Amino acid sequence: MIEDLVALSQDPAPEKRRQLLREVADLFLNDVETYSDRSLVLFTDVLTGLLKQVDESTRAEIAERLSDAPNAGEALHMFLAYDEVEVAGPVLRNSRHLSDEVLVDIAEHKGQAHRLAIAMRETLTESVTDILIAKGESPVLRAVTGNFGASISTSSFATLADHARTDDTLLDAMSYRADMPRQVADTVLNLLPEDARIRLAALLAADREAVRPLMEKAAALTKQKKMSRALERLETKGLIRQVRQKEMTLEQVIVWLSERDRILDLSLVLSDFSRIDEAVATGAILKVNAAPAVILLRSLEVDEDAVRAVAIMRCRRLNLPQSMADHLVDRWRELDEPTAQRALRFTLARRSVQQDAA
C-alpha cells in the first residue's frame, strides 16, 4: 500500500493526482479513530496539498466524503469551506469543526449558495443566523426559519416577520416556530391564514418550558423524523390550554383535529377532558364498533357538529361507508348523558383493575 502511494506521488499526471488523493482519503477515513494527533495533522497537510492539485469535481467528491469525518480537523474543513459551493456545500452543512467565527465570515463574504448551505446545518447560534437573516435572501430566510435547530434572536425574528409580509412560504414556516417572542408572534398571527394561525396560537399557548427543550433537541428529532410529531403534540397541548382558558371551545378543537385526520392528537384531547388513558381514547375512535366513541363523545357533552366531524373522520380512516357516520350520530342522539357517564366510569374502573392485576 505504502509503495503504491509513493509511486503515485511521483507521477504528476492529473489522473494519478486524483487517484492518489482518493487513496489517501480512503486511508484516512478507514482508520481515523486510531491515529495520534500528530498523524492527523500530517494527514491534514497531505490532503490539503493534494486537494490544491486536482480539479473542482474531484475536490467536491472528496469534500462530500470528509464533510462529517469526526477527526478531519478544522484546518482541512476550513480549506474546503472557502472553496466553490460545489466543494464547500457538504462541509458547510455537516462539519462539526467550523467555528461560529468562520461561519459568520463565510456568510458575510461568500455568496447566497454558501449561506444556504450554512442555513441547513443541524444547529446554528444567533450570531450566525443574525448575519444570514440580515442578508435578506428569500431561500436563506426560509431555510433558517424551517431549521428548528437554528437559534434566532428577537431582532432577527422581527426581520423575518417583515419579510413574511410578502413571502407566503416564509410566513408558513414562521407558524411552526414555537420559540418566537410574543411581540413578534402578534404581528405574524395577524398575517397568517386561519389554519396556520390556529397552529401558531396553540404552540404559543403551550407550556413555554416545554418549548425550549424541544427546540434544543430539534436536530436529533428532525433526523429521526420525529420533529413534526413532537411539534404537533406540543400544539395540541396548547389547544387544550386554550380550551381551559376559554379562548376556544372543545367542539372547535375536536372539529379542527378531525378535519385534519389527526387521530393521535384528538385522542390526547379526548383523554385529557374525559380523564381516560390516551390508549383507551384512541381505541374508542378506531374501533369499527361505534359504541365506545358514542359513549365517550356523549359523556363529554359536545355538540352534534363535533360528533359528526369525528364520525366522518372515522369513515375516512377506517374505509367505512358514509352511512356509518350517520349511524354513529343517530346513536349519539339516542344515548342520554347519565347512561354515557355510567358506562365511562365502568370503563375506567375496569381499566384500573386490569392495571392493578398486571
Side-chain angles (χ1 to χ4, degrees), residues 13-172:
E15 182 52 45
K16 296 298 182 182
R17 295 282 96 181
R18 288 193 289 271
Q19 185 181 347
L20 176 61
L21 177 57
R22 292 181 181 118
E23 296 283 357
V24 173
D26 284 342
L27 190 61
F28 174 74
L29 290 170
N30 288 342
D31 297 305
V32 66
E33 294 181 359
T34 67
Y35 294 134
S36 65
D37 290 345
R38 183 175 179 279
S39 297
L40 289 172
V41 170
L42 223 101
F43 264 113
T44 295
D45 290 344
V46 171
L47 284 167
T48 303
L50 290 170
L51 283 163
K52 294 176 181 178
Q53 302 175 40
V54 296
D55 56 32
E56 183 180 311
S57 65
T58 305
R59 295 199 306 278
E61 172 196 331
I62 300 301
E64 182 73 50
R65 296 177 61 195
L66 294 174
S67 64
D68 58 356
N71 295 320
E74 185 176 14
L76 178 57
H77 277 188
M78 278 182 60
F79 173 78
L80 294 167
Y82 279 92
D83 206 328
E84 298 302 313
V85 73
E86 289 76 11
V87 179
V91 176
L92 291 174
R93 288 191 295 271
N94 302 322
S95 173
R96 287 167 282 179
H97 301 296
L98 299 178
S99 66
D100 283 356
E101 184 180 1
V102 169
L103 293 171
V104 167
D105 187 65
I106 292 173
E108 182 66 58
H109 297 103
K110 290 290 188 176
Q112 177 179 306
H114 284 74
R115 288 187 282 274
L116 186 58
I118 293 172
M120 295 176 181
R121 291 175 66 81
E122 281 191 6
T123 58
L124 291 167
T125 64
E126 290 183 7
S127 63
V128 178
T129 57
D130 278 348
I131 183 64
L132 294 175
I133 291 169
K135 292 291 182 177
E137 299 154 331
S138 292
V140 179
L141 298 180
R142 295 168 184 169
V144 171
T145 307
N147 181 350
F148 296 115
S151 295
I152 301 175
S153 65
T154 297
S155 60
S156 286
F157 262 124
T159 301
L160 288 172
D162 287 339
H163 284 283
R165 295 177 186 277
T166 56
D167 186 336
D168 289 343
T169 303
L170 175 60
L171 181 61
D172 185 68

Side-chain angles (χ1 to χ4, degrees), residues 259-271:
E259 288 177 346
R260 288 153 184 81
D261 284 349
R262 287 173 56 174
I263 288 179
L264 295 179
D265 296 317
L266 178 60
S267 298
L268 176 59
V269 172
L270 297 178
S271 166

Side-chain angles (χ1 to χ4, degrees), residues 45-340:
D45 290 344
V46 171
L47 284 167
T48 303
L50 290 170
L51 283 163
K52 294 176 181 178
Q53 302 175 40
V54 296
D55 56 32
E56 183 180 311
S57 65
T58 305
R59 295 199 306 278
E61 172 196 331
I62 300 301
E64 182 73 50
R65 296 177 61 195
L66 294 174
S67 64
D68 58 356
N71 295 320
E74 185 176 14
L76 178 57
H77 277 188
M78 278 182 60
F79 173 78
L80 294 167
Y82 279 92
D83 206 328
E84 298 302 313
V85 73
E86 289 76 11
V87 179
V91 176
L92 291 174
R93 288 191 295 271
N94 302 322
S95 173
R96 287 167 282 179
H97 301 296
L98 299 178
S99 66
D100 283 356
E101 184 180 1
V102 169
L103 293 171
V104 167
D105 187 65
I106 292 173
E108 182 66 58
H109 297 103
K110 290 290 188 176
Q112 177 179 306
H114 284 74
R115 288 187 282 274
L116 186 58
I118 293 172
M120 295 176 181
R121 291 175 66 81
E122 281 191 6
T123 58
L124 291 167
T125 64
E126 290 183 7
S127 63
V128 178
T129 57
D130 278 348
I131 183 64
L132 294 175
I133 291 169
K135 292 291 182 177
E137 299 154 331
S138 292
V140 179
L141 298 180
R142 295 168 184 169
V144 171
T145 307
N147 181 350
F148 296 115
S151 295
I152 301 175
S153 65
T154 297
S155 60
S156 286
F157 262 124
T159 301
L160 288 172
D162 287 339
H163 284 283
R165 295 177 186 277
T166 56
D167 186 336
D168 289 343
T169 303
L170 175 60
L171 181 61
D172 185 68
M174 292 195 76
S175 72
Y176 288 93
R177 292 301 302 218
D179 54 338
M180 193 187 312
R182 187 72 219 198
Q183 62 268 34
V184 178
D186 288 339
T187 299
V188 174
L189 284 166
N190 289 328
L191 300 173
L192 287 168
E194 181 183 9
D195 205 49
R197 185 169 63 249
I198 290 173
R199 176 174 57 236
L200 178 57
L203 287 171
L204 292 169
D207 184 355
R208 302 300 287 174
E209 293 305 310
V211 171
R212 192 173 297 110
L214 176 63
M215 289 301 174
E216 289 172 355
K217 296 190 296 183
L221 287 168
T222 301
K223 275 192 167 183
Q224 298 164 23
K225 300 183 179 179
K226 292 180 180 177
M227 185 61 185
S228 61
R229 179 66 202 129
L231 272 177
E232 283 182 351
R233 190 168 180 87
L234 183 63
E235 173 191 352
T236 305
K237 290 179 179 178
L239 290 171
I240 291 170
R241 177 171 289 192
Q242 286 181 292
V243 173
R244 296 201 182 282
Q245 294 175 346
K246 310 298 184 185
E247 296 173 8
M248 294 183 75
T249 67
L250 179 57
E251 287 85 355
Q252 286 175 319
V253 171
I254 290 174
V255 170
W256 194 77
L257 292 172
S258 297
E259 288 177 346
R260 288 153 184 81
D261 284 349
R262 287 173 56 174
I263 288 179
L264 295 179
D265 296 317
L266 178 60
S267 298
L268 176 59
V269 172
L270 297 178
S271 166
D272 190 89
F273 285 96
S274 65
R275 301 185 182 282
I276 65 173
D277 289 346
E278 277 187 64
V280 175
T282 304
I285 296 170
L286 292 177
K287 285 182 186 295
V288 175
N289 178 3
V294 170
I295 292 169
L296 179 56
L297 292 168
R298 175 54 83 182
S299 69
L300 288 171
E301 303 180 56
V302 295
D303 64 23
E304 187 168 326
D305 287 343
V307 175
R308 186 168 293 281
V310 174
I312 292 172
M313 179 195 68
R314 277 169 42 84
C315 290
R316 273 198 308 271
R317 295 301 299 266
L318 299 176
N319 295 313
L320 300 174
Q322 194 59 40
S323 59
M324 294 294 288
D326 296 331
H327 178 62
L328 186 150
V329 175
D330 288 342
R331 292 185 64 181
W332 171 82
R333 289 180 185 143
E334 294 167 1
L335 181 65
D336 61 89
E337 186 192 332
T339 302

